[in-house]
Amino acid sequence: MKLSSRIHAMQESPVRKLVPIAQKVKQNGKKVYHLNIGQPDIETPSVFMEAIKNYDSRVIKYSFSQGEPVLIDAIRDYFKKDGIIFDKDDILITNGGSEAISFCAIAICDPGDEILVPEPFYTNYNGFTGESNVNIVPITTKAKDGFHLPKKEEIVKLITPRTKAILFSNPGNPTGTILRLDEMEMIKEIAIEHDLFIISDEVYRGMAFDGLEGLSMGSIKGIDDRLIITESVSKRYSACGARIGAICSHNKGLTKEIMKLCQARLCVATLEQIGAAALYQLPQSYTNEIRDEYQARRDVVYEALQKIPGVVCEQPKGAFYVVVKLPVENAEDFIIWMLEEFEIDGETIMLAPADGFYATPGLGIDEARIAYVLNVEDMKRAMYILEKGLIAYNQR
Ligand SMILES: Cc1ncc(COP(=O)(O)O)c(C=O)c1O
């Protein structure tokens, strides 16, 4: 029996593909500091479980396909604090930010259509688009420019009659870059001039360091009909397993059509939506605390990286990732070696190879992504292991 060419064309997650190796070495007793995946160690706020415990129903019923009204209202209030007003029918609850982007790709694009994405990008964008035969066209950004966007003409050159949208995460995964206002205005101009949708993936919003504001694309005027913001509780509220996200758009035609996809999968888990509503109601002070914690981790990691000979990286400004150029030929080979061959007192680290975050072949081969999702002490230890590991690897 033959499987579809679509499934064969889809890439294995480069973040998860080395997991079996890590599992094996862990079974043999080695401790692995996981810096390869964006799974924060921060406790999910207790209001999540409390809201679920207080949920008064003898039957766990299907929720509405659009989502639980209490969650929709909580998300509307979250945006309202920044002057971004959504109607009730502008918000569709999804199974994480992941499903939100998949649904957008299906709704906007026909097979063979194209979406522009600044690279390096969150590698699962390949999956979210590949499943509907949509092609990602990369806009290459460079570490030396802080992974900021190139000039308008460089981006416009990539637009074809098949280009339907521009998709980006802000703050950026894996770069930690925060878009400047002038870049957001440029995206607006390009989208209007070339009639494109803008998919602004804001799952890391609120995690902007050094006093940067980290604006939502929703603050930019004049793009109401073409802007889609995708949301999630995974990162901001450290609730990755809740699988709650949302599509937020003023384009009523679009949300009406995407409702068909929501109906086809019936609904999102009822209880998790109740918990998520409580998360969105947390005060700004909660998000500020989380931001400060990640900034402290960023500082530890960046300071340590700067002291390691041959390592090159830009200081990330948001989210909880940094892309580093390592003094090795092949980062994946180094990462596997660290797992299988290296340890200090029974401990090692796991990074994510960065080539999977690029669509342009050959880019990122000597780069890795570090997720600073562990506490400051663990991050210090992990950076020490990285430094010693690099020396040992290059002396083999
Ligand atoms: C940029 C970005 N967008 C979307 C997602 C998906 O998040 P969710 O857990 O909400 O599906 C992630 C997860 O790591 C991400 O980094």
Side-chain angles (χ1 to χ4, degrees):
M1 275 182 296
K2 215 169 142 273
L3 301 180
S4 71
S5 31
R6 188 194 306 112
I7 197 74
H8 283 304
M10 275 180 78
Q11 157 212 64
E12 228 185 312
S13 163
V15 179
R16 289 179 183 257
K17 79 175 176 194
L18 304 182
V19 170
I21 302 176
Q23 291 302 99
K24 197 161 146 217
V25 304
K26 283 198 284 192
Q27 272 160 15
N28 293 338
K30 220 187 253 187
K31 172 168 177 178
V32 177
Y33 290 91
H34 279 280
L35 313 180
N36 58 306
I37 186 161
Q39 170 59 67
D41 66 348
I42 288 175
E43 263 185 41
T44 310
S46 57
V47 292
F48 180 86
M49 291 308 269
E50 281 157 22
I52 293 176
K53 279 188 205 138
N54 294 334
Y55 183 63
D56 187 17
S57 177
R58 295 195 169 270
V59 180
I60 309 296
K61 293 189 204 136
Y62 283 123
S63 173
F64 298 99
S65 295
Q66 186 194 349
E68 284 292 318
V70 63
L71 175 56
I72 291 170
D73 283 342
I75 295 179
R76 290 173 66 217
D77 288 344
Y78 163 78
F79 279 106
K80 204 168 159 189
K81 285 185 204 144
D82 291 313
I84 304 163
I85 307 297
F86 284 113
D87 294 338
K88 282 184 198 292
D89 55 353
D90 292 341
I91 312 267
L92 307 175
I93 305 303
T94 54
N95 286 294
S98 304
E99 190 184 61
I101 298 169
S102 294
F103 279 6
C104 291
I106 295 170
I108 293 171
C109 298
D110 285 315
D113 280 347
E114 294 164 0
I115 297 185
L116 293 176
V117 184
E119 71 174 348
F121 55 82
Y122 174 49
T123 174
N124 277 337
Y125 285 172
N126 287 313
F128 305 155
T129 52
E131 63 194 8
S132 47
N133 294 87
V134 173
N135 300 322
I136 285 183
V137 175
I139 304 167
T140 304
T141 69
K142 302 201 172 110
K144 71 173 177 50
D145 306 324
F147 295 108
H148 284 284
L149 291 172
K151 291 206 170 72
K152 185 174 168 188
E153 49 278 20
E154 295 296 312
I155 300 177
V156 167
K157 261 195 325 216
L158 302 168
I159 296 176
T160 73
R162 301 223 67 165
T163 312
K164 292 292 160 67
I166 175 163
L167 160 67
F168 51 87
S169 77
N170 182 35
N173 173 10
T175 59
T177 301
I178 306 265
L179 286 181
R180 296 182 310 256
L181 186 58
D182 63 293
E183 290 173 282
M184 295 168 103
E185 291 289 348
M186 174 174 73
I187 291 169
K188 166 184 165 173
E189 264 179 43
I190 295 173
I192 292 176
E193 287 166 13
H194 297 271
D195 200 19
L196 307 179
F197 278 97
I198 300 167
I199 308 171
S200 181
D201 176 350
E202 301 188 359
V203 308
Y204 295 95
R205 197 153 85 85
M207 297 178 192
F209 310 143
D210 306 328
L212 288 175
E213 206 175 346
L215 277 182
S216 166
M217 201 69 198
S219 318
I220 306 294
K221 303 280 172 248
I223 45 172
D224 270 6
D225 57 336
R226 57 183 75 251
L227 174 64
I228 309 166
I229 298 174
T230 56
E231 249 297 307
S232 171
V233 296
S234 291
K235 313 293 170 168
R236 193 181 310 122
Y237 303 111
S238 200
C240 296
R243 309 307 308 131
I244 300 293
I247 290 171
C248 315
S249 177
H250 291 109
N251 185 321
K252 309 268 183 211
L254 175 83
T255 46
K256 185 166 171 273
E257 293 298 323
I258 296 182
M259 260 303 280
K260 294 183 204 162
L261 293 167
C262 296
Q263 287 163 357
R265 58 89 165 106
L266 303 179
C267 71
V268 171
T270 305
L271 291 182
E272 277 77 356
Q273 292 190 68
I274 301 299
L279 295 177
Y280 274 104
Q281 286 158 9
L282 284 166
Q284 183 61 35
S285 55
Y286 169 78
T287 319
N288 292 349
E289 244 174 67
I290 297 301
R291 177 202 61 203
D292 294 348
E293 172 62 26
Y294 283 118
Q295 183 167 326
R297 294 173 181 194
R298 188 275 315 258
D299 290 345
V300 164
V301 169
Y302 183 62
E303 204 176 295
L305 290 172
Q306 279 183 305
K307 290 187 189 140
I308 304 179
V311 167
V312 183
C313 72
E314 283 298 306
Q315 188 191 45
K317 296 291 181 189
F320 42 61
Y321 305 100
V322 56
V323 175
V324 290
K325 187 167 148 45
L326 298 172
V328 300
E329 238 168 66
N330 185 305
E332 181 170 317
D333 185 70
F334 168 69
I335 292 164
I336 295 172
W337 182 85
M338 284 296 281
L339 285 169
E340 290 180 336
E341 310 288 339
F342 188 75
E343 64 177 80
I344 298 180
D345 298 331
E347 298 182 344
T348 191
I349 59 166
M350 182 172 182
L351 310 179
D355 57 342
F357 296 89
Y358 289 87
T360 304
L363 291 185
I365 306 268
D366 58 354
E367 296 175 3
R369 183 192 74 173
I370 296 174
Y372 39 96
V373 286
L374 306 181
N375 65 56
V376 162
E377 286 316 308
D378 283 355
M379 287 312 308
K380 280 187 187 159
R381 174 77 178 152
M383 289 302 103
Y384 176 76
I385 294 172
L386 172 64
E387 181 180 359
K388 298 294 173 209
L390 279 169
I391 295 170
Y393 180 80
N394 284 326
Q395 285 175 350
R396 282 168 311 149

